[in-house]
Amino acid sequence: MAPDRSRKLGRKSVLEKRVVELIRTNDIVLLSALQAELAVHGVEAVVLDTHTSIMEGSLGVLPRRLMVVDTDAFLARRIVAAFQEDHA
């Protein structure tokens, strides 16, 4: 949802709330898959450090972080654990 529309509806975006880290990885495919899986279950997630990771080149030194709103953290951790178990 666009930031201006969510404010009109009285909602805050994920970046305007307190967020917690779910996972830190260099695997962009895993991050994308987890973000999609969380969305299926109604959990909004955001990937941080994308631009920092790009700036350092292809060395893979700086991992990206998948973040969720702290109130969704318990559910999100269960979804991530189930996803990783199913795709191990």
Side-chain angles (χ1 to χ4, degrees):
M1 190 176 282
D4 58 340
R5 181 173 172 169
S6 61
R7 288 189 183 166
K8 287 179 186 174
L9 297 174
R11 298 185 203 142
K12 292 182 179 181
S13 78
V14 70
L15 295 177
E16 296 175 306
K17 297 179 182 180
R18 184 171 173 205
V19 293
V20 295
E21 181 180 320
L22 278 183
I23 190 168
R24 184 181 301 220
T25 183
N26 293 327
D27 187 343
I28 59 174
V29 175
L30 175 62
L31 286 170
S32 178
L34 288 174
Q35 197 169 16
E37 184 69 16
L38 289 166
V40 165
H41 291 89
V43 177
E44 185 179 3
V46 64
V47 177
L48 298 185
D49 305 322
T50 300
H51 298 294
T52 305
S53 184
I54 290 170
M55 292 296 290
E56 59 93 19
S58 60
L59 299 174
V61 176
L62 301 172
R64 298 171 188 185
R65 297 175 290 160
L66 185 63
M67 312 291 282
V68 296
V69 175
D70 62 348
T71 55
D72 291 336
F74 179 76
L75 174 61
R77 286 186 181 109
R78 291 184 59 187
I79 293 167
V80 167
F83 181 87
Q84 289 178 322
E85 185 178 305
D86 291 344
H87 296 87

